[in-house]
């Protein structure tokens, strides 16, 4: 296709993706407001035991409405994700070989699963454990007043950090596939990886709790070790393709 035709196709793919997100947003906004679904209550459920019968408070008149808009937006992105992913795939697929298309689909699925696994770990384990630790600290002279905006900002930051860090195996496999790193290199610098991942986890986790850093670092480093094993298969497949290509060139 000529370059301008590619731009035209890209424009329509983007418009279709935006339309899917808009339709999903209308539905999720109705779900969060008119349907009676307490989306805020669902999000607060992981820390409910540590509120001791209290409720989250808000300090701005339109804060609940803003929060509902944000919640509807996040849910809309989740619902529209299959449509958006298909539009991206439909645009890129003609430029890929049959083998590349077969390899890319499992990688994209694995990336989505790892991202959701990171979010699930943060919501159902990290946040409750952090609240439990905070609850056990001696603060008899203090009275807690957790605002809804602070809680959801914390929840969003933690979920995003966990989801992104869980993409480490995909990054390692991609770098192995294009030849920038090898399994031997990953094994050689294992001690450096321990320190590097620990520092990154300390940076991305909010607060100064070492426990929160370790809760993210342990699964992330476990994924690093798993990546070393899986990268061996990717590395061998790349070497095999290079040998076949070299033999083909010599035959010619």
């Amino acid at each position: 296709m000529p370059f301008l035709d590619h731009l035209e196709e890209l424009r329509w793919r983007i418009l279709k993706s935006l339309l899917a997100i808009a339709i999903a947003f209308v539905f999720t906004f109705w779900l969060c407001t008119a349907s009676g679904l307490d989306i805020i209550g669902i999000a607060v459920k992981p820390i409910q035991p540590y509120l001791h019968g209290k409720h989250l408070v808000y300090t701005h008149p339109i804060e609940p409405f803003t929060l509902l808009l944000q919640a509807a937006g996040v849910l809309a992105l989740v619902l529209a994700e299959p449509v958006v992913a298909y539009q991206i795939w439909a645009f890129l697929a003609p430029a890929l070989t049959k083998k590349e298309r077969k390899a890319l689909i499992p990688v994209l699925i694995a990336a989505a699963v790892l991202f959701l696994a990171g979010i699930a770990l943060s919501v159902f384990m990290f946040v409750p454990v952090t609240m439990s630790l905070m609850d056990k600290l001696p603060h008899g002279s203090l009275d807690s007043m957790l605002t809804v905006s602070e809680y959801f900002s914390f929840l969003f930051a933690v979920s995003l950090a966990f989801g992104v860090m869980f993409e480490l195996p995909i990054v390692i496999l991609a770098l192995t596939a294009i030849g920038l790193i090898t399994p031997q290199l990953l094994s050689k610098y294992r001690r450096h990886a321990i320190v590097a991942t620990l520092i990154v986890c300390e940076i991305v986790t909010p607060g100064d709790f070492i426990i929160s850093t370790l809760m993210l670092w342990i699964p992330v480093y476990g994924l690093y070790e798993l990546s070393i094993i899986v990268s061996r298969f990717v590395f061998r497949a790349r070497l095999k393709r290079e040998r076949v290509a070299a033999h083909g060139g010599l035959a010619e």
Side-chain angles (χ1 to χ4, degrees):
M1 292 175 62
F3 178 72
L4 291 179
D5 289 344
H6 279 296
L7 288 180
E8 180 66 16
E9 183 185 2
L10 178 61
R11 184 174 73 90
W12 280 107
R13 297 293 181 191
I14 292 175
L15 288 175
K16 290 178 181 178
S17 299
L18 293 176
L19 179 61
I21 294 173
I23 294 173
F25 178 78
V26 171
F27 172 73
T28 55
F29 184 73
W30 169 84
L31 197 65
C32 293
T33 55
S35 70
L37 178 67
D38 186 9
I39 190 68
I40 297 178
I42 294 174
V44 173
K45 195 161 286 228
I47 65 166
Q48 198 74 51
Y50 311 106
L51 294 177
H52 305 293
K54 299 179 181 178
H55 297 285
L56 297 178
V57 301
Y58 62 91
T59 58
H60 195 278
I62 64 169
E63 194 170 2
F65 179 73
T66 303
L67 188 63
L68 288 175
L69 283 177
Q70 293 172 349
V74 172
L75 289 176
L77 290 175
V78 173
L79 287 180
E81 190 273 337
V83 177
V84 175
Y86 171 77
Q87 296 301 325
I88 296 173
W89 171 257
F91 181 73
L92 296 177
L96 303 175
T97 65
K98 188 175 181 180
K99 285 187 177 180
E100 288 172 338
R101 287 197 294 268
K102 286 183 178 180
L104 186 60
I105 293 177
V107 170
L108 293 177
I109 294 174
V113 170
L114 286 172
F115 189 79
L116 293 176
I119 292 177
L121 181 66
S122 68
V123 172
F124 297 109
M125 182 174 290
F126 176 81
V127 172
V129 169
T130 301
M131 291 293 296
S132 174
L133 291 172
M134 292 297 297
D135 193 51
K136 292 176 182 177
L137 292 177
H139 47 70
S141 59
L142 301 176
D143 191 14
S144 63
M145 188 179 70
L146 183 61
T147 66
V148 66
S149 61
E150 290 170 344
Y151 170 68
F152 278 92
S153 296
F154 172 73
L155 185 65
F156 177 77
V158 167
S159 299
L160 184 62
F162 272 68
V164 171
M165 290 299 293
F166 268 54
E167 296 298 310
L168 179 63
I170 303 301
V171 175
I172 291 177
L173 292 182
L175 294 176
T176 304
I178 62 179
L180 290 181
I181 60 176
T182 64
Q184 294 78 15
L185 184 69
L186 295 172
S187 300
K188 179 181 178 181
Y189 290 98
R190 181 179 274 114
R191 287 179 296 180
H192 299 76
I194 292 175
V195 177
T197 53
L198 191 59
I199 292 174
V200 174
C201 290
E202 171 64 25
I203 293 172
V204 300
T205 50
D208 299 321
F209 260 161
I210 187 63
I211 297 297
S212 62
T213 301
L214 291 177
M215 286 186 65
L216 176 58
W217 176 78
I218 290 173
V220 166
Y221 185 73
L223 290 172
Y224 178 84
E225 291 291 339
L226 178 63
S227 301
I228 296 177
I229 299 173
V230 179
S231 66
R232 291 194 177 102
F233 296 98
V234 177
F235 182 68
R236 290 170 188 166
R238 185 172 65 83
L239 291 180
K240 183 178 179 181
R241 290 196 304 269
E242 291 176 352
R243 285 196 298 267
V244 171
H247 291 157
L250 292 174
E252 291 177 3

